[in-house]
């Protein structure tokens, strides 16, 4: 405290008007520089051991915080409630799907068309095999048509126009013997180019 | 009379015509000195504006062009036009100076030095203020095209990429998604980065010129203006429901039927020409396409070095630079080639190996 006051007076004196006038008359004297304040004592006192113990505390804190963030993020990946529709669902009895009709009722809720074509009922997954847009069924033109790049598919799901390299995919379809309803399982897909449409699980015969 | 004109424009909007016309007219225009003067620029500006204004009286044209999403594309037409005009004008002016033995414009200008502050920073500041005002006014006047909450089962028809990607989306119509979505875009970026290493000619460094760099400028401008900007214009104004093609004044009819049945090269060769049916082994089946691609990418570059025009480049650049450059050039030309093959023969893929997801 006393040091500070002394320094203040020392630095203030040259700007003082009296002192300035005196200095102008007297021969030029070099102003004495203000004394450099001594560094606080405790700063120089940090020992090697003290530094490392503080660093250890800091690292532990940082690691704990990071770990907590990662844990929270990991938990976020497994939500309590899923708002997605189940991949396996019932769509009704085979009689509900008249021959030659592409049923669009389940496209919005479950992302599939149920098609009754040539005595077979099968379920086409409504994702374009070009880049994944949902195509639209054009009844008047008897084809599926993708709005993104113009890929087109026949009612069977076979691609015939536009840039898509392969047909639509079919989902597993079966009849649940307990209530005679059609059960669609999107978790299992059947690909035409691998010959899987021959698989009896990829279609059911309409009566 | 207007109706007949509209019909005519609609007819020539078809990509096989409009792409050809754009290519020919644009490349020819680069060589037409009169266009790249003050008068030429004014004529182009008035012409384009007049076209837009008159066309706005057409309902279908107005629906597409005046859509808030599409305003940037109209601006792009003007901006790209302006900057092409500006640089070409400067280039032609310099060429005349060089021919007269005078120093280039940039060289005479290099002696005039100005301060960063205030001369540069102040004009930057003014630009910033004007641009901010413009963006604020724009965002107030034109509503953001927000729609109902997204539904994964329904895509808007047509579904369009952000406007700056519409060139890529147009490419996707002609190529496999892996090619048009990954390989070609990467090659565009890599190729642009590689230009200074391939083209080490110092002519044109620090000054505009056309005469000294004709083929390079024509090539770059073709890639940028025709293969990128023009395809954006096509994707914005001429692609309607179901990604069908519509003329500029055509009604976007969702039920328009266009036969687009596409055929692979292997099907042309084995079924239509030889009549033997597709071979089951993929290598045999796709052999014609693979041979064609090898011819294009290996034999053609070597053959080009025998031509006088390319020989000069080969001698200047050395083998490695030349072949990398010509490879990138041929990859770029694959897009127009594939487009013409699609329009002319409904060709789907040259090589279609589903077994490995490899389609070209």
């Amino acid at each position: 405290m006393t040091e500070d006051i002394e320094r203040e007076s020392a630095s203030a004196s040259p700007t003082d008007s009296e002192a300035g006038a005196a200095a102008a008359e007297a021969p030029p004297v070099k102003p004495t520089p203000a004394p450099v304040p001594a560094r606080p004592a405790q700063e120089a006192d940090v020992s090697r051991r003290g530094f490392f113990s503080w660093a250890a505390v800091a690292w532990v804190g940082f690691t704990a915080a990071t770990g907590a963030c990662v844990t929270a993020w990991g938990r976020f990946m497994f939500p309590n409630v899923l708002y997605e529709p189940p991949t396996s669902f019932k769509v009704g009895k085979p009689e509900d799907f008249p021959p030659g009709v592409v049923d669009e009722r389940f496209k919005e809720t479950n992302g599939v068309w149920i098609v009754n074509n040539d005595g077979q009922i099968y379920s086409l997954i409504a994702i374009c095999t070009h880049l994944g847009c949902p195509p639209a069924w054009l009844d008047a033109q008897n084809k599926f048509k993708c709005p993104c790049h113009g890929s087109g598919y026949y009612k069977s799901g076979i691609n015939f126009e536009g840039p898509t390299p392969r047909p639509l995919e079919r989902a597993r379809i079966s009849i649940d013997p307990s209530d005679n309803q059609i059960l669609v399982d999107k978790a299992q897909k059947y690909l035409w180019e691998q010959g899987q449409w021959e698989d009896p699980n990829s279609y059911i015969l309409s009566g | 009379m207007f109706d007949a004109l509209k019909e005519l424009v609609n007819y020539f909007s078809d990509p096989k015509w409009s792409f050809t016309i754009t290519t020919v007219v644009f490349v020819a225009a680069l060589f037409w000195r009169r266009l790249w003067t003050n008068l030429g620029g004014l004529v182009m500006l008035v012409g384009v504006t007049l076209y837009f204004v008159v066309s706005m009286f057409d309902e279908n044209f107005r629906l597409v062009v005046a859509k808030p999403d599409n305003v940037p594309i109209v601006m792009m037409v003007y901006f790209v036009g302006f900057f092409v005009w500006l640089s070409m004008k400067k280039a032609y002016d310099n060429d005349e100076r060089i021919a007269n033995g005078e120093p280039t414009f940039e060289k005479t200008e290099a002696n005039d030095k100005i301060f960063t502050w205030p001369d540069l920073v102040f004009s930057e500041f003014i630009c910033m203020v004007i641009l901010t005002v413009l963006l604020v006014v724009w965002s107030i006047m034109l509503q953001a095209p927000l729609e109902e909450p997204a539904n994964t089962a329904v895509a808007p028809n047509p579904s369009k990429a952000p406007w700056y990607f519409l060139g890529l989306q147009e490419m996707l119509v002609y190529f496999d998604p892996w090619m048009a979505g990954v390989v070609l875009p990467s090659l565009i970026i890599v190729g642009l980065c590689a230009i200074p290493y391939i083209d080490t000619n110092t002519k044109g460094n620090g000054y505009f010129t056309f005469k000294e760099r004709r083929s390079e400028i024509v090539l770059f401008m073709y890639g940028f203006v025709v293969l990128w900007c023009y395809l954006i214009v096509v994707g914005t104004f001429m692609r309607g429901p179901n990604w069908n093609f519509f003329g500029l004044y055509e009604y976007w009819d969702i039920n328009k039927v266009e036969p687009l049945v596409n055929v692979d090269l292997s099907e042309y060769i084995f079924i239509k020409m030889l009549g033997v049916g597709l071979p089951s082994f993929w290598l045999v089946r796709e052999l014609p396409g693979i041979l064609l691609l090898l011819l294009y990418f290996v034999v053609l570059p070597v053959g080009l070095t025998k031509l006088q025009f390319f020989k000069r480049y080969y001698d200047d650049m050395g083998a490695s630079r030349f072949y990398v450059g010509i490879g990138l050039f041929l990859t770029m030309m694959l897009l127009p080639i594939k487009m013409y093959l699609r329009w002319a023969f409904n060709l789907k893929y040259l090589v279609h190996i589903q077994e490995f997801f490899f389609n070209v």
Side-chain angles (χ1 to χ4, degrees):
Chain A
M1 204 56 191
T2 47
E3 259 183 28
D4 281 350
I5 291 167
E6 270 175 30
R7 250 197 315 138
E8 262 179 40
S9 59
S11 62
S13 58
T15 58
D16 201 286
S17 61
E18 278 178 15
E25 287 163 16
V29 179
K30 259 192 169 179
T32 47
V36 180
R39 290 177 58 192
Q42 70 268 26
E43 220 178 282
D45 245 12
V46 175
S47 67
R48 197 179 166 81
R49 176 189 294 269
F51 171 76
F52 276 111
S53 58
W54 275 112
V57 170
W59 269 115
V60 169
F62 176 73
T63 312
T66 311
C69 284
V70 170
T71 313
W73 175 80
R75 178 67 184 78
F76 186 70
M77 294 288 122
F78 301 93
N80 291 336
V81 184
L82 259 186
Y83 293 99
E84 291 165 11
T87 55
S88 177
F89 48 90
K90 288 181 179 171
V91 293
K93 300 204 166 156
E95 302 89 81
D96 300 341
F97 301 95
V101 172
V102 174
D103 195 308
E104 290 217 272
R105 283 176 298 165
F106 302 96
K107 189 194 169 198
E108 194 158 336
T109 50
N110 300 91
V112 294
W113 290 289
I114 312 293
V115 187
N116 185 339
N117 191 15
D118 284 340
Q120 282 187 359
I121 297 179
Y122 48 88
S123 158
L124 288 173
I125 292 173
I127 294 175
C128 181
T129 48
H130 178 231
L131 271 183
C133 288
W137 168 249
L138 305 179
D139 209 21
Q141 296 169 36
N142 208 23
K143 69 181 179 188
F144 300 100
K145 185 81 176 166
C146 182
C148 291
H149 307 93
S151 295
Y153 307 86
Y154 293 123
K155 192 187 273 182
S156 61
I158 300 282
N159 55 323
F160 71 101
E161 65 177 4
T164 184
R166 59 197 188 89
L168 293 171
E169 293 170 351
R170 285 186 186 180
R172 184 192 170 99
I173 192 166
S174 57
I175 291 184
D176 189 336
S178 63
D179 54 2
N180 275 336
Q181 284 214 47
I182 296 177
L183 182 70
V184 177
D185 184 5
K186 277 173 73 187
Q188 193 164 355
K189 290 172 182 171
Y190 293 88
L191 277 57
W192 174 85
E193 64 271 22
Q194 297 184 6
Q196 293 169 339
W197 284 10
E198 307 292 325
D199 192 302
N201 286 325
S202 69
Y203 60 88
I204 54 178
L205 296 171
S206 63
Chain B
M1 189 202 79
F2 269 121
D3 282 344
L5 256 175
K6 284 181 192 171
E7 282 299 312
L8 199 71
V9 173
N10 279 344
Y11 180 75
F12 284 109
S13 298
D14 189 276
K16 61 172 171 275
W17 290 115
S18 66
F19 183 79
T20 313
I21 292 169
T22 312
T23 305
V24 173
V25 167
F26 180 74
V27 172
L30 286 178
F31 289 90
W32 194 25
R33 194 336 175 189
R34 302 274 298 276
L35 211 55
W36 313 108
T37 57
N38 286 338
L39 182 67
L42 194 69
V43 168
M44 283 194 285
L45 179 71
V46 170
V48 172
T49 309
L50 211 64
Y51 175 76
F52 270 117
V53 169
V54 171
S55 297
M56 276 307 213
F57 288 101
D58 182 85
E59 193 185 357
N60 296 321
F61 186 88
R62 193 169 60 233
L63 267 177
V64 179
V65 173
K67 207 177 165 212
D69 308 34
N70 295 347
V71 170
I73 317 302
V74 180
M75 283 164 60
M76 187 192 78
V77 170
Y78 278 95
F79 283 144
V80 169
F82 173 71
F83 284 111
V84 169
W85 171 78
L86 186 67
S87 44
M88 287 307 288
K89 175 177 145 52
K90 287 190 167 186
Y92 270 112
D93 286 353
N94 269 344
D95 288 345
E96 275 168 15
R97 282 162 177 262
I98 294 168
N100 295 337
E102 297 167 25
T104 60
F105 178 71
E106 286 79 5
K107 199 163 257 174
T108 60
E109 205 186 27
N111 294 323
D112 305 336
K113 292 203 164 57
I114 55 168
F115 293 107
T116 308
W117 170 264
D119 300 276
L120 172 71
V121 177
F122 196 73
S123 38
E124 282 177 349
F125 173 71
I126 295 291
C127 288
M128 193 184 79
V129 170
I130 292 174
L131 209 67
T132 311
V133 170
L134 184 84
L135 286 177
V136 170
V137 171
W138 186 349
S139 60
I140 292 172
M141 302 293 285
L142 295 178
Q143 297 303 312
L146 296 179
E147 294 168 12
E148 64 266 33
N151 179 350
T152 50
V154 180
N157 193 4
S159 280
K160 294 197 177 185
W163 66 266
Y164 40 83
F165 280 150
L166 281 173
L168 289 181
Q169 192 170 3
E170 197 60 27
M171 229 151 74
L172 278 162
V173 176
Y174 302 98
F175 283 101
D176 176 78
W178 190 74
M179 278 295 283
V182 181
V183 176
L184 293 178
S186 311
L187 277 179
I188 291 173
I189 295 167
V190 170
L192 286 175
C193 296
I195 286 178
Y197 303 99
I198 295 170
D199 179 21
T200 50
N201 188 344
T202 51
K203 289 264 178 70
N205 273 9
Y207 61 96
F208 285 94
T209 176
F210 184 54
K211 203 175 172 188
E212 295 177 1
R213 303 304 302 270
R214 267 190 194 130
S215 17
E216 289 86 350
I217 289 174
V218 168
L219 182 61
F220 180 84
M221 293 294 238
Y222 175 69
F224 175 63
V225 175
V226 179
L227 291 186
W228 190 254
C229 298
Y230 162 76
L231 287 186
I232 289 178
V233 171
V234 167
T236 311
F237 297 145
M238 305 187 204
R239 286 294 186 179
N242 299 326
W243 214 246
N244 275 331
F245 201 87
F246 291 87
L248 282 167
Y249 305 106
E250 204 174 331
Y251 170 65
W252 279 19
D253 183 3
I254 195 162
N255 289 317
K256 179 178 180 178
V257 180
E258 258 188 296
L260 293 169
V261 181
N262 296 326
V263 184
D264 286 328
L265 181 70
S266 55
E267 290 167 349
Y268 266 118
I269 301 248
F270 287 107
I271 297 176
K272 294 204 173 169
M273 283 170 65
L274 300 177
V276 292
L278 282 181
S280 53
F281 184 50
W282 61 268
L283 190 59
V284 182
R285 189 186 69 218
E286 302 303 337
L287 204 59
I290 293 172
L291 284 179
L292 214 60
L293 280 181
L294 283 179
L295 207 68
Y296 183 71
F297 276 112
V298 179
V299 180
L300 184 63
V302 178
L304 283 179
T305 59
K306 303 284 176 282
L307 287 177
Q308 187 55 39
F309 180 80
F310 288 95
K311 181 87 169 62
R312 198 160 47 90
Y313 283 95
Y314 183 80
D315 292 340
D316 284 351
M317 296 161 77
S320 53
R321 276 210 186 88
F322 179 81
Y323 284 126
V324 171
I326 209 88
L328 288 167
F329 168 68
L330 290 177
T331 313
M332 175 176 119
M333 294 313 286
L334 212 55
L335 176 63
I337 289 173
K338 192 82 191 287
M339 286 162 82
Y340 278 113
L341 287 177
R342 177 69 62 85
W343 299 327
F345 307 110
N346 279 325
L347 183 87
K348 188 174 186 183
Y349 291 125
L350 291 163
V351 176
H352 186 183
I353 310 177
Q354 282 180 10
E355 290 84 346
F356 303 117
F357 291 103
F358 183 83
N359 312 303
V360 177

